[in-house]
Amino acid sequence: MRPVRHLVRPGLLVLLVMAVVPATLGPSASRPAAQVARVGASPTPTPSASPVTPSAPTPDARPAALTVDMAVGQMMAASFGGPNITDGLRHLILDEKVGTVLIFSDNFTDAASLLRLSTALQRLGREAGLPAPLLIAVDEEGGRVMRVHDGVAALPSELELGARGPDGVRQAVASTASGLHALGIQLDLAPVADLRSNPADGVIGDRSFGGDPSAVGPLVAAAVNGLHDGGVAATLKHFPGLGGAAGDPHSVMPTDPESLERWAATQALSFKAGIDAGADAVMTTAVVVPGLDPSGTPALFSRAVVTGLLRDRLQFEGVIVTDGLGMGGITTLYGLPQATVAAVVAGNDLVLLNSADADYQASAIETVKQQVRSGAIPMEQVQASAARVIAMRARWPVWAPSLIDVSASPPAFELALSRR
C-alpha cells in the first residue's frame, strides 16, 4: 500500500512533529527547545535568560504515526569520508531516510566548499521527503576540537575561555555560532559540560571549563545561550561525565569509580545547569561507572544512566544523542549493529553511527528496524525519539541558500503519515 503523503510547509512543521509522540503523553505547553517532546509528568526546568524562541500550540488533530523506515531514519546520524557526497551517503538519506549527517574536517576544504556541501545535503533531504530540514552537525568546541576554521570566529579551549566569565563566554560562542549558522550547520556537539576532577583523565583536559561545579555551571549555561544567540542548537557532553575517568574511550573503555552520591554533587550539577539553560541535546558517552550502574554496562548503553538518570532524575526532555559509535573503546566490544540497537534500547534518541562505511551503517539501521518490527523495541519509543529529533530540527532550520538563486523561498517538505 502506498503511503498517503501531504505537503507540509515549514511554518506548520512543529505542529506535526508533536503529533508523532504517543497520545498517552498528552499535550504540552510552550517551553524551551530541549523540552518540545515531553516525557512523563516531571516539572519543567526553569531556563536561564536566553533569546525568546518560537513555539507552537498543540494541534487538535493527530496525524497518523511515521512509518518505521522514516521514524528510525530520523534517529540516525550518518558519516562519510572525503569531500564529495558518496553514493553510499545518498543511499542512506534517500532510501534509509537518515535525517542527520555529522560533518568532519575531511568533508570540506574551506567555507565555500562547506556551504556547497550543506546546500547539497539539504537538497538530498528534500528529495528524500524528510519531515524536517536534514540536520547537519559538527564538533566545534574550541581549542583543539575545531572542525571548521574558515568562515567562523576561532574559539580558545574552554579552560582558557572560561577566564572571561559567563558574559565573555556567551559573546565569544555566539560569534562562532553565527558563522556555523551561515554555513548551514544547525547543531554543534558542544559545549563540554564535564568537570575535570581527575588530572589523569585521558581525553578532557582543557576541553573542560574546570573542576568546580559552582563555577563551571554558569559557564556551561552561557555557552548554551551563546550558541542559541548565533542560531545553532547546543549539545551538552559527555554524560554522565568523562573528567573523572582515567583513559580515553577513543581507544579503550574507561572506568570511573565515582559513587552516585559523589556524581550527584559534582558532574550532575554542571549538566543540570546546561539543561536549565535550554540545551537542545545531551550526548551520552562510553564510560563504565559502577556507582551509577552496578552491571558495568557502558553509560551510553545503560538504561539506568540514559533513561534513569538523564531523562528521569535530571528531567531532560530534549534529544539524547550518543557519542560516536566508531570509537575504539566501543568497537573492541561491540559491532555497529549491536551497539546501535543497545543505544536505542537504553533510551538514546539520536545515534552517531560514526563510520565511513555506508553499507555497515545501513546494516545497523536495518537491524534496528527488525527489532522494532519484532516488538523488541517498542514502536511508541521510536516515535517519541523521532519526534524529539524532528522538533529540534524544525526549531533551528538553516535553509542552506541555493548557490544559483539565493532568494529562493524555503521549500515545502513531504511528510509520510501512514504506518508501514
Side-chain angles (χ1 to χ4, degrees):
M1 178 178 178
R2 295 185 62 187
V4 179
R5 306 178 78 86
H6 299 277
L7 284 177
V8 180
R9 296 204 61 82
L12 300 177
L13 187 54
V14 174
L15 301 179
L16 290 171
V17 296
M18 290 300 298
V20 302
V21 180
T24 55
L25 299 181
S28 57
S30 299
R31 54 178 64 90
Q35 301 156 353
V36 176
R38 185 174 178 82
V39 179
S42 55
T44 302
T46 303
S48 303
S50 60
V52 176
T53 51
S55 59
T58 302
D60 294 331
R62 294 181 183 273
L66 295 171
T67 66
V68 173
D69 286 348
M70 187 66 80
V72 172
Q74 304 321 293
M75 297 178 65
M76 302 295 150
S79 301
F80 68 104
N84 300 309
I85 294 175
T86 62
D87 290 341
L89 182 62
R90 289 180 59 85
H91 166 72
L92 291 171
I93 297 171
L94 296 177
D95 302 317
E96 298 291 347
K97 305 303 179 185
V98 166
T100 299
V101 175
L102 176 59
I103 297 298
F104 290 91
S105 298
D106 69 322
N107 297 138
F108 59 93
T109 55
D110 54 21
S113 64
L114 177 53
L115 179 57
R116 286 194 297 270
L117 174 61
S118 63
T119 301
L121 287 173
Q122 290 295 351
R123 288 173 181 152
L124 271 181
R126 294 195 291 273
E127 185 179 347
L130 300 182
L134 185 139
L135 181 68
I136 302 174
V138 71
D139 278 298
E140 195 82 354
E141 299 173 11
R144 53 194 166 102
V145 183
M146 291 278 289
R147 308 296 187 204
V148 185
H149 297 276
D150 187 32
V152 302
L155 273 178
S157 68
E158 284 193 3
L159 187 61
E160 180 181 342
L161 181 62
R164 303 182 191 180
D167 289 343
V169 168
R170 182 170 183 167
Q171 183 178 7
V173 171
S175 180
T176 298
S178 64
L180 295 176
H181 176 93
L183 295 174
I185 305 297
Q186 301 109 305
L187 176 65
D188 189 4
L189 301 179
V192 169
D194 308 80
L195 295 177
R196 193 184 187 207
S197 57
N198 182 354
D201 92 84
V203 65
I204 297 302
D206 64 355
R207 296 168 65 191
S208 167
F209 282 118
D212 179 359
S214 65
V216 170
L219 299 175
V220 170
V224 170
N225 290 329
L227 285 166
H228 289 173
D229 292 344
V232 174
T235 308
L236 306 176
K237 63 184 187 184
H238 309 78
F239 191 87
L242 272 179
D248 181 351
H250 293 90
S251 54
V252 296
M253 185 71 67
T255 297
D256 189 339
E258 198 166 52
S259 68
L260 176 61
E261 292 73 20
R262 177 64 179 167
W263 175 83
T266 54
Q267 303 280 359
L269 299 181
S270 58
F271 281 95
K272 189 63 165 65
I275 290 170
D276 288 351
D280 307 270
V282 174
M283 176 186 286
T284 56
T285 198
V287 61
V288 173
V289 190
L292 305 185
D293 184 347
S295 74
T297 302
L300 81 170
F301 301 130
S302 167
R303 192 162 181 86
V305 173
V306 177
T307 298
L309 293 182
L310 180 52
R311 187 70 78 197
D312 297 338
R313 180 163 179 157
L314 296 190
Q315 302 175 0
F316 178 61
E317 298 173 348
V319 173
I320 301 179
V321 55
T322 70
D323 211 333
L325 297 190
M327 293 190 298
I330 295 174
T331 59
T332 55
L333 300 175
Y334 308 91
L336 185 58
Q338 179 189 10
T340 304
V341 169
V344 172
V345 169
N348 292 279
D349 302 307
L350 182 61
V351 179
L352 303 186
L353 297 171
N354 197 205
S355 170
D357 186 336
D359 290 340
Y360 200 27
Q361 294 179 79
S363 70
I365 296 168
E366 289 300 323
T367 302
V368 173
K369 292 177 186 177
Q370 292 168 9
Q371 294 293 303
V372 174
R373 293 188 175 109
S374 72
I377 296 176
M379 185 62 178
E380 291 76 12
Q381 176 187 337
V382 171
Q383 296 285 358
S385 288
R388 293 186 190 99
V389 177
I390 293 168
M392 178 176 68
R393 285 156 50 189
R395 183 175 181 269
W396 298 104
V398 174
W399 304 110
S402 166
L403 298 179
I404 299 173
D405 180 9
V406 296
S407 65
S409 299
F413 282 82
E414 289 188 66
L415 176 59
L417 297 179
S418 69
R419 181 171 178 174
R420 177 172 296 177

